[in-house]
Amino acid sequence: MKPGPKRSLSEDAIVGAALKLLGERGGDAMSMRSIASEVGVAPNALYTYFPDKAAVLRAVVDRLIGEQSLDVFTDRGVPWRRRVHEVALGLRTRLLDHPGATRLLLGAPMDGPRALAFGERLLDLLTEAGLSEEDAARASYTLIVYLLGSIALEAAELDPTQPAPPEAERVAERRKGFDAVPAEAFPRTAATASVMAAYISTDQYLWGLDRVLDGLTGRRGRS
């Protein structure tokens, strides 16, 4: 029997295989050996491109961040705050398409070329909003922590191997849990159960984003 065609190997192919495995099995089941099997090579072939699994995961994070178009940042015909909203919503949609990989976001540095390009455009937008370069840098970090932290917490409630259910279904399921909280022991929690159940909603995500932006731009001109 003739051997099958030799599969091409590249950084992109390896990252794509890792992303596929994260979606099928989750992070705990992914290894250099499983990635190698997915791309049809011996495990030691991967080390030509990545020194270890951590480096692969960093590249996965960079690809996920890079799926967000940077064109939104530069359209000065759109108010800067609306552009932040569009970027934030686009990032959330793309990352929640890969909940298994999104859980890695808070554990891997964002220092790849796509992440750096994203950060640079965000700095441009914040200086356009009136912040000094130093304040824009601090504000950029604060925004990224809020956005990625919110998305990662939302992804943590999803099955990484299954498509995410509609938002309304997920909120309704969370509400069942809050309805079981004894009101006599936790009266404030019980009284705001509908709000807490919707922590994973788009409304909550944008509510928090606007409060962060209000605080950041309120410091404009002050050291």
Side-chain angles (χ1 to χ4, degrees):
M1 185 174 66
K2 293 183 179 180
K6 183 178 180 181
R7 298 187 63 175
S8 60
L9 189 62
S10 65
E11 288 189 5
D12 280 346
I14 294 167
V15 172
L19 193 55
K20 180 174 182 287
L21 289 170
L22 284 165
E24 293 176 348
R25 309 180 194 176
D28 292 340
M30 197 193 78
S31 65
M32 294 296 271
R33 184 174 296 278
S34 63
I35 297 171
S37 177
E38 182 67 29
V39 295
V41 300
N44 60 1
L46 301 184
Y47 294 99
T48 302
Y49 301 87
F50 295 99
D52 50 33
K53 176 181 170 180
V56 177
L57 295 180
R58 290 169 75 170
V60 168
V61 168
D62 196 55
R63 175 176 289 191
L64 291 175
I65 298 299
E67 289 182 352
Q68 168 64 53
S69 171
L70 302 183
D71 293 343
V72 178
F73 283 111
T74 57
D75 185 359
R76 294 206 172 203
V78 177
W80 72 267
R81 186 181 282 248
R82 190 187 305 169
R83 277 179 274 159
V84 174
H85 276 215
E86 290 184 23
V87 169
L89 290 171
L91 193 63
R92 178 172 176 255
T93 296
R94 287 167 176 79
L95 293 180
L96 290 181
D97 282 342
H98 307 283
T102 296
R103 297 178 187 187
L104 304 171
L105 286 171
L106 299 184
M110 289 179 54
D111 55 3
R114 296 179 182 91
L116 289 173
F118 181 93
E120 184 71 13
R121 298 288 79 77
L122 183 57
L123 289 171
D124 286 342
L125 191 151
L126 290 168
T127 54
E128 181 187 336
L131 297 178
S132 68
E133 287 190 351
E134 181 177 339
D135 280 351
R138 294 180 185 275
S140 173
Y141 176 76
T142 302
L143 275 175
I144 288 171
V145 169
Y146 171 74
L147 295 175
L148 297 188
S150 297
I151 297 167
L153 285 172
E154 188 172 350
E157 298 189 7
L158 298 175
D159 183 340
T161 67
Q162 299 294 328
E167 183 178 290
E169 288 184 18
R170 292 189 286 127
V171 171
E173 190 62 29
R174 283 172 54 85
R175 179 59 193 262
K176 293 177 184 177
F178 283 105
D179 285 343
V181 173
E184 63 277 9
F186 306 100
R188 294 189 187 277
T189 300
T192 57
S194 60
V195 175
M196 294 185 177
Y199 279 170
I200 59 168
S201 68
T202 303
D203 284 346
Q204 173 65 38
Y205 182 65
L206 292 179
W207 187 94
L209 174 59
D210 278 331
R211 272 47 183 192
V212 172
L213 292 175
D214 288 344
L216 293 174
T217 55
R219 287 185 54 82
R220 184 168 46 198
R222 286 186 283 163
S223 172

